[in-house]
Amino acid sequence: MKLRKVTAAAAVALSLAVTATACGSGDKKDSDSGGGKKITVGIKFDQPGIGQKTPQGYSGFDVDVATYVAEKLGYSAKQIQWKETKSADREDALKRGDVDFIAASYSITPERQAKVDFAGPYLLAHQDVLIRADDDTIKSPSDLNSKKLCSVTGSTSAQNVHDKLAPKAQLQKYPTYSACLTGLQNKAIDALTTDDSILAGYASQATFKGKFKLGGFKMSNENYGIGVKKGSALKAKINTALESMVSDGSWEKAVTANFGPAQYKNEPAPKIGNIVS
């Protein structure tokens, strides 16, 4: 009798263990299928209007896009884990699996496409320069010759200007755009170059109101894409989410909310797969 009781108890215990294991397997993170416990998204932490970490949380156009996409993948806003991904580390972050996808003013280029896959594009920006408001010496890209031109490590912006428009520009690479902005304010550099959407975010901050101005040069086309690990099934799912964001009006709403204060004249929402060269 005692043996039967022990055996019955063991059977119950085994049954419970199997049930727990089956339930537990559904809690594991599965980013390709969505609906897991969390999803890790790479963004910039220091780009006002694009991706910024503040005491109140995270804000910016990329944050709005990433949140919309994550929710379409089956994750609530509370299930998103935001991770800073600096320009120089984006490809490695995806390769290592540190993040599931990246929405961080990530321009689609052939060189990057060889390393990661891109969903999108979801925004067409243009390269421009930010200069001091009282500087009247830079009126065209050629005026950047012999000027100290700043961009961040890993970004293609400054190199593009040097190679194509101002071969005598003195390139200065700083770790973040915020560091470039400080250098511009202190006159350690003469111009900060990156995408007009990013520059507009900085220029519109209350702290810097009236101190800087955009050059107004459309020096390149920057097709923002969402980066995923090479071969990831997320690419197709994110593309579907981006199409929904445009069709239901959420994309335009995010543009107005984040760029409206700077009177940023954005291009219309790009079509998925349409890379403007």
Side-chain angles (χ1 to χ4, degrees):
M1 182 64 70
K2 289 183 179 180
L3 180 59
R4 288 196 190 102
K5 288 182 178 179
V6 171
T7 303
V12 172
L14 178 60
S15 177
L16 290 173
V18 171
T19 302
T21 301
C23 292
S25 64
D27 293 334
K28 291 182 180 179
K29 179 181 174 183
D30 184 1
S31 299
D32 281 354
S33 61
K37 291 177 67 175
K38 66 178 181 178
I39 187 167
T40 305
V41 180
I43 58 171
K44 293 291 181 63
F45 277 14
D46 67 334
Q47 291 182 352
I50 299 290
Q52 185 178 30
K53 182 179 180 180
T54 69
Q56 292 74 39
Y58 301 90
S59 64
F61 182 68
D62 283 348
V63 174
D64 289 345
V65 170
T67 299
Y68 185 98
V69 167
E71 290 178 346
K72 287 294 184 180
L73 293 176
Y75 299 89
S76 69
K78 292 182 179 179
Q79 290 176 302
I80 301 173
Q81 180 177 317
W82 302 106
K83 186 175 180 65
E84 182 178 24
T85 49
K86 295 181 179 179
S87 295
D89 193 45
R90 288 178 296 203
E91 287 83 27
D92 288 338
L94 288 168
K95 186 178 180 180
R96 291 192 302 262
D98 295 345
V99 294
D100 296 300
F101 69 81
I102 294 176
S105 55
Y106 203 0
S107 296
I108 302 172
T109 67
E111 293 77 17
R112 290 169 179 167
Q113 286 178 305
K115 300 176 182 178
V116 302
D117 284 341
F118 285 97
Y122 63 92
L123 182 71
L124 176 60
H126 303 285
Q127 188 178 347
D128 202 348
V129 295
L130 191 69
I131 57 180
R132 288 181 292 276
D134 60 355
D135 188 348
D136 295 323
T137 65
I138 302 175
K139 298 179 180 179
S140 70
S142 62
D143 291 331
L144 293 169
N145 280 306
S146 301
K147 298 288 187 178
K148 293 180 180 178
L149 181 65
C150 185
S151 192
V152 301
T153 304
S155 172
T156 59
S157 299
Q159 195 65 49
N160 286 341
V161 174
H162 180 272
D163 293 346
K164 301 174 183 178
L165 301 170
K168 294 182 180 180
Q170 301 174 34
L171 303 186
Q172 307 288 319
K173 293 186 178 181
Y174 284 29
T176 64
Y177 291 110
S178 296
C180 282
L181 195 67
T182 299
L184 181 60
Q185 188 173 15
N186 297 337
K187 298 186 177 182
I189 60 171
D190 300 303
L192 160 60
T193 185
T194 187
D195 306 341
D196 52 10
S197 56
I198 298 172
L199 297 175
Y202 283 121
S204 65
Q205 286 183 288
T207 306
F208 302 119
K209 188 174 182 179
K211 294 183 179 180
F212 305 113
K213 62 183 178 182
L214 287 165
F217 317 143
K218 290 187 176 182
M219 297 184 287
S220 70
N221 295 314
E222 304 298 331
N223 302 270
Y224 285 8
I226 293 181
V228 298
K229 192 173 184 178
K230 203 73 176 174
S232 174
L234 281 178
K235 176 181 176 179
K237 296 177 181 180
I238 292 173
N239 278 335
T240 299
L242 291 174
E243 288 175 337
S244 295
M245 188 175 189
V246 173
S247 64
D248 69 14
S250 297
W251 185 89
E252 191 64 42
K253 183 179 179 180
V255 168
T256 301
N258 292 289
F259 301 133
Q263 297 183 336
Y264 172 68
K265 297 180 180 179
N266 65 283
E267 300 280 3
K271 293 183 178 180
I272 299 300
N274 184 24
I275 310 300
V276 180
S277 59

